[in-house]
Amino acid sequence: MTGLVWFLIIIVLVGSFSAISYFTTKKAIQLEKETKLMKFWKKDSTKGIASSLISIFAGMIIGCLILAIVSIIPIKGLSISFKTFMEGVQLIFGGVFNTGRNDSNQLIFGWNGRNLGDLLFKATPLILTGLSVALAFKTGLFNIGAPGQYLMSTAATLILALSIPTTKVPAFFVWVIAFVGGILAGALWGAVPGIFKAFLNVNEVITCIMMNWIAANFVTSLFDKTTGPFKYLLDPSGTKNFAFVFKTTQNGVSTPKMFLDKIFPNSQVNGGIIIAIVIAVVVAIILNKTTFGYELKACGHNKNAAQYAGISAKRNIVLSMAIAGGLAGAGAALYFLSGNTEFAWETYQSLPAIGFNGIPVALLAYNNPIGVVFSSLFMSYLDVSGMQLKYMTSYNEYITGIISAVIVYFSAFSLLFSQVLNGKIKIFKKKTEQN
């Protein structure tokens, strides 16, 4: 009997020790996980992603509310049912995957190679203009001159691609020459505000805006149908009537598809999207893994401290704006070298929206080069979904434009949301009791 009691005591002690060890180990693992989670949350990149997701979510919700308001409030000539409203919401969130309607007139969703391919095509120049703005932001500069750099690159790219005869020079080499020429044209145009900023301390925003409109008028003068030196590059066909420059396929020059047309049939996609992503990766490596990138960012954080450390602030300001201009130029070159796009040369009264769209793309990506790729894809996703909303429902293109504008507007608040998450901006202040 005594032996049985001792046996039970030993079992209880062993069991208790095992239980204590188990719960202690479990608590330690849980604390370790919580510590890792807190460390992950405290990273600026994590909070940047979170703030961007908040911006996207808020914009999408506001977009849906706009659809609801338009459905509820009667507007002359526009009658929208609850079913149409629900279809509109579906198309906002999944319009890229819409494949049409079934026999019951219900929206159906699935793999849509054409929409997805067009999404990638539209994202290509947006990635590069976004990188242009993001890189300048990283170095403490605001490159609002991307539209002008884009225009100058467009002109240089088309002139080179259409003027060099492919009967004498292989089409591939003409493509490379035109692509590099477009980058150089954008870089030279971007370097001008950089020079004024570095040597005369003129605000780059002012010079960029001026350079935008100089570019708009200069490009118009190049292709003017009566006096322009390159008027022979205008399409004289009945439908175009000299209003557009020839597509580069007129000279047998176009960006290779790189088999993407097999994955996304009947779309505009080509190898330009791959080139754009590679450029984004290269920019990320340069900024984060090289001495040159460190110097650029150091000048952005504190120009005087960087100069005290032996870094040439003036040189880096000029180089930063030149590289930013080159990136915007690369976007224009890839877009117009696709072979299926045409350029309306009368730009003296307008600037390309793609240049300005790089600003919200960079803000939404928190100026991260890899993030720019994803934010560009998202903005292009909205564009393609908006077209589906227009063609598949009673909502018109103006409603689509409002929804896109709201989301772009909220993307500008991503930095504010990040500041709130970092605790630098207090929404609710605790009242301290005075003894």
Side-chain angles (χ1 to χ4, degrees):
M1 188 70 179
T2 305
L4 179 61
V5 171
W6 279 109
F7 177 75
L8 291 173
I9 291 172
I10 292 171
I11 292 295
V12 171
L13 289 173
V14 171
S16 300
F17 179 76
S18 301
I20 292 169
S21 299
Y22 170 76
F23 285 111
T24 303
T25 306
K26 185 178 180 181
K27 185 68 175 176
I29 293 172
Q30 185 177 358
L31 287 172
E32 185 179 357
K33 287 182 178 178
E34 288 178 356
T35 304
K36 288 181 178 179
L37 186 62
M38 288 302 296
K39 286 182 179 178
F40 177 74
W41 173 249
K42 287 180 179 179
K43 290 182 178 178
D44 289 338
S45 58
T46 304
K47 291 181 180 178
I49 293 171
S51 62
S52 297
L53 291 175
I54 292 171
S55 301
I56 291 171
F57 179 74
M60 298 289 269
I61 294 301
I62 294 295
C64 293
L65 289 176
I66 291 173
L67 293 182
I69 291 170
V70 173
S71 302
I72 295 170
I73 299 175
I75 300 175
K76 185 178 180 181
L78 184 63
S79 177
I80 297 177
S81 63
F82 179 75
K83 178 191 172 191
T84 302
F85 162 69
M86 292 304 298
E87 288 180 344
V89 174
Q90 291 178 46
L91 290 171
I92 286 178
F93 286 93
V96 172
F97 300 99
N98 175 245
T99 57
R101 294 183 180 273
N102 58 18
D103 295 336
S104 302
N105 202 31
Q106 300 290 326
L107 291 176
I108 52 177
F109 296 88
W111 177 264
N112 190 322
R114 180 174 183 176
N115 282 348
L116 289 168
D118 288 345
L119 182 154
L120 295 175
F121 177 73
K122 291 175 183 291
T124 300
L126 198 53
I127 289 171
L128 291 160
T129 55
L131 284 174
S132 174
V133 177
L135 184 137
F137 273 143
K138 281 282 189 181
T139 55
L141 300 167
F142 185 16
N143 182 28
I144 200 172
Q149 296 148 16
Y150 189 91
L151 275 177
M152 292 302 293
S153 173
T154 299
T157 299
L158 291 173
I159 289 169
L160 291 170
L162 293 170
S163 298
I164 302 174
T166 51
T167 53
K168 296 181 180 179
V169 181
F172 172 75
F173 289 110
V174 174
W175 187 96
V176 172
I177 292 169
F179 181 59
V180 174
I183 293 175
L184 291 176
L188 290 172
W189 210 251
V192 175
I195 292 170
F196 276 93
K197 174 70 174 180
F199 295 99
L200 299 175
N201 199 28
V202 179
N203 190 292
E204 72 276 9
V205 173
I206 297 172
T207 48
C208 280
I209 292 172
M210 293 173 64
M211 294 299 288
N212 282 342
W213 289 107
I214 292 171
N217 285 273
F218 180 68
V219 170
T220 298
S221 68
L222 290 177
F223 296 106
D224 186 270
K225 61 183 178 182
T226 55
T227 59
F230 298 101
K231 61 183 178 181
Y232 64 91
L233 298 179
L234 301 181
D235 188 347
S237 63
T239 56
K240 307 302 179 185
N241 196 25
F242 298 98
F244 297 90
V245 178
F246 280 117
K247 297 178 183 179
T248 56
T249 47
Q250 179 76 14
N251 194 32
V253 177
S254 64
T255 305
K257 296 290 186 180
M258 296 185 184
F259 300 104
L260 291 176
D261 55 329
K262 306 296 182 184
I263 305 173
F264 308 102
N266 303 318
S267 69
Q268 295 178 292
V269 71
N270 55 48
I273 183 64
I274 297 175
I275 298 171
I277 292 172
V278 169
I279 291 174
V281 172
V282 170
V283 170
I285 292 171
I286 290 173
L287 285 176
N288 299 314
K289 301 295 182 181
T290 67
T291 304
F292 176 61
Y294 175 80
E295 290 181 353
L296 288 178
K297 290 190 293 184
C299 288
H301 288 301
N302 192 320
K303 183 178 71 173
N304 295 325
Q307 198 160 357
Y308 181 78
I311 298 171
S312 176
K314 292 180 179 179
R315 176 180 66 90
N316 285 316
I317 287 171
V318 176
L319 285 176
S320 175
M321 287 301 295
I323 295 170
L327 289 169
L334 288 178
Y335 184 74
F336 288 101
L337 283 172
S338 64
N340 51 18
T341 51
E342 51 192 9
F343 176 60
W345 58 270
E346 291 186 290
T347 60
Y348 66 95
Q349 290 183 330
S350 62
L351 294 169
I354 191 73
F356 291 115
N357 289 345
I359 298 172
V361 163
L363 291 174
L364 196 59
Y366 209 60
N367 299 324
N368 184 299
I370 304 301
V372 164
V373 175
F374 292 101
S375 59
S376 299
L377 290 171
F378 173 71
M379 297 301 291
S380 300
Y381 168 86
L382 289 178
D383 192 12
V384 175
S385 293
M387 295 306 295
Q388 293 296 309
L389 188 68
K390 174 185 175 182
Y391 293 122
M392 301 302 296
T393 68
S394 302
Y395 294 105
N396 57 39
E397 66 271 24
Y398 303 110
I399 299 297
T400 303
I402 292 171
I403 294 170
S404 299
V406 168
I407 295 173
V408 169
Y409 183 78
F410 269 92
S411 72
F413 285 92
S414 60
L415 290 175
L416 173 64
F417 295 145
S418 179
Q419 296 291 318
V420 173
L421 293 174
N422 277 316
K424 294 179 180 179
I425 298 177
K426 301 290 185 183
I427 298 178
F428 302 103
K429 295 183 178 180
K430 293 182 180 180
K431 294 182 178 179
T432 57
E433 295 181 0
Q434 294 181 350
N435 294 328

